[in-house]
PDB file of all heavy atoms in Angstrom:
ATOM      1  N   CYS V  49      98.035  -3.550 -66.686  1.00 92.00           N
ATOM      2  CA  CYS V  49      98.017  -3.767 -65.202  1.00 92.00           C
ATOM      3  C   CYS V  49      97.846  -5.237 -64.907  1.00 92.00           C
ATOM      4  O   CYS V  49      97.739  -5.607 -63.736  1.00 92.00           O
ATOM      5  CB  CYS V  49      96.959  -2.923 -64.549  1.00 92.00           C
ATOM      6  SG  CYS V  49      95.296  -3.383 -64.883  1.00 92.00           S
ATOM      7  N   GLY V  50      97.732  -6.107 -65.913  1.00 92.00           N
ATOM      8  CA  GLY V  50      97.564  -7.532 -65.665  1.00 92.00           C
ATOM      9  C   GLY V  50      96.167  -7.984 -65.306  1.00 92.00           C
ATOM     10  O   GLY V  50      95.985  -9.024 -64.629  1.00 92.00           O
ATOM     11  N   ALA V  51      95.141  -7.238 -65.714  1.00 91.00           N
ATOM     12  CA  ALA V  51      93.821  -7.505 -65.334  1.00 91.00           C
ATOM     13  C   ALA V  51      93.040  -8.111 -66.520  1.00 91.00           C
ATOM     14  O   ALA V  51      91.848  -8.355 -66.379  1.00 91.00           O
ATOM     15  CB  ALA V  51      93.112  -6.302 -64.829  1.00 91.00           C
ATOM     16  N   LEU V  52      93.645  -8.416 -67.639  1.00 92.00           N
ATOM     17  CA  LEU V  52      92.941  -8.824 -68.849  1.00 92.00           C
ATOM     18  C   LEU V  52      93.098 -10.368 -68.944  1.00 92.00           C
ATOM     19  O   LEU V  52      94.151 -10.965 -68.827  1.00 92.00           O
ATOM     20  CB  LEU V  52      93.639  -8.222 -70.096  1.00 92.00           C
ATOM     21  CG  LEU V  52      92.888  -8.403 -71.346  1.00 92.00           C
ATOM     22  CD1 LEU V  52      91.627  -7.630 -71.421  1.00 92.00           C
ATOM     23  CD2 LEU V  52      93.799  -8.013 -72.556  1.00 92.00           C
ATOM     24  N   TYR V  53      91.941 -10.968 -69.151  1.00 91.00           N
ATOM     25  CA  TYR V  53      91.859 -12.465 -69.328  1.00 91.00           C
ATOM     26  C   TYR V  53      91.049 -12.715 -70.583  1.00 91.00           C
ATOM     27  O   TYR V  53      90.031 -12.111 -70.888  1.00 91.00           O
ATOM     28  CB  TYR V  53      91.125 -13.121 -68.117  1.00 91.00           C
ATOM     29  CG  TYR V  53      91.949 -13.041 -66.898  1.00 91.00           C
ATOM     30  CD1 TYR V  53      91.850 -11.923 -66.103  1.00 91.00           C
ATOM     31  CD2 TYR V  53      92.833 -14.029 -66.544  1.00 91.00           C
ATOM     32  CE1 TYR V  53      92.604 -11.786 -64.901  1.00 91.00           C
ATOM     33  CE2 TYR V  53      93.585 -13.913 -65.374  1.00 91.00           C
ATOM     34  CZ  TYR V  53      93.446 -12.802 -64.549  1.00 91.00           C
ATOM     35  OH  TYR V  53      94.213 -12.734 -63.418  1.00 91.00           O
ATOM     36  N   ARG V  54      91.593 -13.641 -71.401  1.00 88.00           N
ATOM     37  CA  ARG V  54      90.913 -14.036 -72.615  1.00 88.00           C
ATOM     38  C   ARG V  54      90.703 -15.535 -72.663  1.00 88.00           C
ATOM     39  O   ARG V  54      91.547 -16.241 -72.362  1.00 88.00           O
ATOM     40  CB  ARG V  54      91.755 -13.657 -73.872  1.00 88.00           C
ATOM     41  CG  ARG V  54      91.960 -12.139 -74.009  1.00 88.00           C
ATOM     42  CD  ARG V  54      92.674 -11.858 -75.279  1.00 88.00           C
ATOM     43  NE  ARG V  54      91.699 -12.173 -76.335  1.00 88.00           N
ATOM     44  CZ  ARG V  54      91.855 -11.783 -77.569  1.00 88.00           C
ATOM     45  NH1 ARG V  54      92.921 -11.089 -77.914  1.00 88.00           N
ATOM     46  NH2 ARG V  54      90.968 -12.096 -78.506  1.00 88.00           N
ATOM     47  N   LYS V  55      89.500 -15.905 -72.946  1.00 82.00           N
ATOM     48  CA  LYS V  55      89.141 -17.340 -73.072  1.00 82.00           C
ATOM     49  C   LYS V  55      88.261 -17.461 -74.360  1.00 82.00           C
ATOM     50  O   LYS V  55      87.184 -16.977 -74.391  1.00 82.00           O
ATOM     51  CB  LYS V  55      88.375 -17.806 -71.852  1.00 82.00           C
ATOM     52  CG  LYS V  55      88.060 -19.244 -71.826  1.00 82.00           C
ATOM     53  CD  LYS V  55      89.296 -20.086 -71.683  1.00 82.00           C
ATOM     54  CE  LYS V  55      88.876 -21.579 -71.539  1.00 82.00           C
ATOM     55  NZ  LYS V  55      89.971 -22.433 -71.441  1.00 82.00           N
ATOM     56  N   ASN V  56      88.878 -18.133 -75.342  1.00 86.00           N
ATOM     57  CA  ASN V  56      88.154 -18.276 -76.615  1.00 86.00           C
ATOM     58  C   ASN V  56      87.864 -16.836 -77.152  1.00 86.00           C
ATOM     59  O   ASN V  56      88.771 -16.084 -77.369  1.00 86.00           O
ATOM     60  CB  ASN V  56      86.940 -19.173 -76.569  1.00 86.00           C
ATOM     61  CG  ASN V  56      87.291 -20.563 -76.175  1.00 86.00           C
ATOM     62  OD1 ASN V  56      88.364 -21.026 -76.473  1.00 86.00           O
ATOM     63  ND2 ASN V  56      86.395 -21.236 -75.509  1.00 86.00           N
ATOM     64  N   ASN V  57      86.638 -16.527 -77.350  1.00 87.00           N
ATOM     65  CA  ASN V  57      86.305 -15.190 -77.856  1.00 87.00           C
ATOM     66  C   ASN V  57      85.772 -14.236 -76.780  1.00 87.00           C
ATOM     67  O   ASN V  57      85.239 -13.183 -77.050  1.00 87.00           O
ATOM     68  CB  ASN V  57      85.164 -15.291 -78.940  1.00 87.00           C
ATOM     69  CG  ASN V  57      85.727 -15.929 -80.155  1.00 87.00           C
ATOM     70  OD1 ASN V  57      86.911 -15.817 -80.472  1.00 87.00           O
ATOM     71  ND2 ASN V  57      84.839 -16.520 -80.962  1.00 87.00           N
ATOM     72  N   ILE V  58      85.930 -14.656 -75.537  1.00 87.00           N
ATOM     73  CA  ILE V  58      85.448 -13.868 -74.381  1.00 87.00           C
ATOM     74  C   ILE V  58      86.590 -13.092 -73.746  1.00 87.00           C
ATOM     75  O   ILE V  58      87.628 -13.675 -73.426  1.00 87.00           O
ATOM     76  CB  ILE V  58      84.702 -14.714 -73.341  1.00 87.00           C
ATOM     77  CG1 ILE V  58      83.525 -15.466 -73.979  1.00 87.00           C
ATOM     78  CG2 ILE V  58      84.283 -13.916 -72.131  1.00 87.00           C
ATOM     79  CD1 ILE V  58      82.906 -16.470 -73.111  1.00 87.00           C
ATOM     80  N   VAL V  59      86.431 -11.819 -73.590  1.00 88.00           N
ATOM     81  CA  VAL V  59      87.428 -10.978 -72.941  1.00 88.00           C
ATOM     82  C   VAL V  59      86.905 -10.535 -71.617  1.00 88.00           C
ATOM     83  O   VAL V  59      85.849  -9.884 -71.566  1.00 88.00           O
ATOM     84  CB  VAL V  59      87.823  -9.756 -73.806  1.00 88.00           C
ATOM     85  CG1 VAL V  59      88.832  -8.876 -73.100  1.00 88.00           C
ATOM     86  CG2 VAL V  59      88.354 -10.162 -75.155  1.00 88.00           C
ATOM     87  N   LEU V  60      87.575 -10.826 -70.544  1.00 90.00           N
ATOM     88  CA  LEU V  60      87.142 -10.466 -69.226  1.00 90.00           C
ATOM     89  C   LEU V  60      88.217  -9.564 -68.546  1.00 90.00           C
ATOM     90  O   LEU V  60      89.431  -9.743 -68.790  1.00 90.00           O
ATOM     91  CB  LEU V  60      86.959 -11.708 -68.277  1.00 90.00           C
ATOM     92  CG  LEU V  60      85.844 -12.637 -68.756  1.00 90.00           C
ATOM     93  CD1 LEU V  60      85.832 -13.886 -67.871  1.00 90.00           C
ATOM     94  CD2 LEU V  60      84.517 -11.944 -68.651  1.00 90.00           C
ATOM     95  N   ILE V  61      87.806  -8.693 -67.670  1.00 91.00           N
ATOM     96  CA  ILE V  61      88.683  -7.840 -66.895  1.00 91.00           C
ATOM     97  C   ILE V  61      88.446  -8.078 -65.444  1.00 91.00           C
ATOM     98  O   ILE V  61      87.283  -8.064 -64.985  1.00 91.00           O
ATOM     99  CB  ILE V  61      88.435  -6.383 -67.243  1.00 91.00           C
ATOM    100  CG1 ILE V  61      88.740  -6.077 -68.725  1.00 91.00           C
ATOM    101  CG2 ILE V  61      89.234  -5.441 -66.382  1.00 91.00           C
ATOM    102  CD1 ILE V  61      88.498  -4.735 -69.226  1.00 91.00           C
ATOM    103  N   ASP V  62      89.520  -8.320 -64.705  1.00 88.00           N
ATOM    104  CA  ASP V  62      89.435  -8.500 -63.263  1.00 88.00           C
ATOM    105  C   ASP V  62      89.291  -7.114 -62.666  1.00 88.00           C
ATOM    106  O   ASP V  62      90.288  -6.390 -62.598  1.00 88.00           O
ATOM    107  CB  ASP V  62      90.674  -9.246 -62.755  1.00 88.00           C
ATOM    108  CG  ASP V  62      90.671  -9.535 -61.275  1.00 88.00           C
ATOM    109  OD1 ASP V  62      89.733  -9.017 -60.590  1.00 88.00           O
ATOM    110  OD2 ASP V  62      91.527 -10.266 -60.819  1.00 88.00           O
ATOM    111  N   ASP V  63      88.077  -6.769 -62.298  1.00 87.00           N
ATOM    112  CA  ASP V  63      87.813  -5.394 -61.858  1.00 87.00           C
ATOM    113  C   ASP V  63      88.503  -5.098 -60.565  1.00 87.00           C
ATOM    114  O   ASP V  63      88.781  -3.901 -60.240  1.00 87.00           O
ATOM    115  CB  ASP V  63      86.261  -5.214 -61.732  1.00 87.00           C
ATOM    116  CG  ASP V  63      85.907  -3.778 -61.886  1.00 87.00           C
ATOM    117  OD1 ASP V  63      86.547  -3.008 -62.563  1.00 87.00           O
ATOM    118  OD2 ASP V  63      84.972  -3.372 -61.167  1.00 87.00           O
ATOM    119  N   SER V  64      88.731  -6.102 -59.721  1.00 85.00           N
ATOM    120  CA  SER V  64      89.388  -5.853 -58.453  1.00 85.00           C
ATOM    121  C   SER V  64      90.831  -5.409 -58.623  1.00 85.00           C
ATOM    122  O   SER V  64      91.425  -4.796 -57.694  1.00 85.00           O
ATOM    123  CB  SER V  64      89.326  -7.106 -57.526  1.00 85.00           C
ATOM    124  OG  SER V  64      90.031  -8.185 -58.097  1.00 85.00           O
ATOM    125  N   VAL V  65      91.447  -5.708 -59.784  1.00 88.00           N
ATOM    126  CA  VAL V  65      92.842  -5.313 -60.127  1.00 88.00           C
ATOM    127  C   VAL V  65      92.764  -4.009 -60.932  1.00 88.00           C
ATOM    128  O   VAL V  65      93.501  -3.065 -60.708  1.00 88.00           O
ATOM    129  CB  VAL V  65      93.568  -6.384 -60.873  1.00 88.00           C
ATOM    130  CG1 VAL V  65      94.933  -5.956 -61.327  1.00 88.00           C
ATOM    131  CG2 VAL V  65      93.735  -7.642 -60.041  1.00 88.00           C
TER     132      VAL V  65
END
Side-chain angles (χ1 to χ4, degrees):
C49 71
L52 188 72
Y53 293 87
R54 297 184 70 164
K55 183 69 175 177
N56 298 329
N57 290 334
I58 299 173
V59 178
L60 297 174
I61 295 175
D62 184 351
D63 203 34
S64 62
V65 173

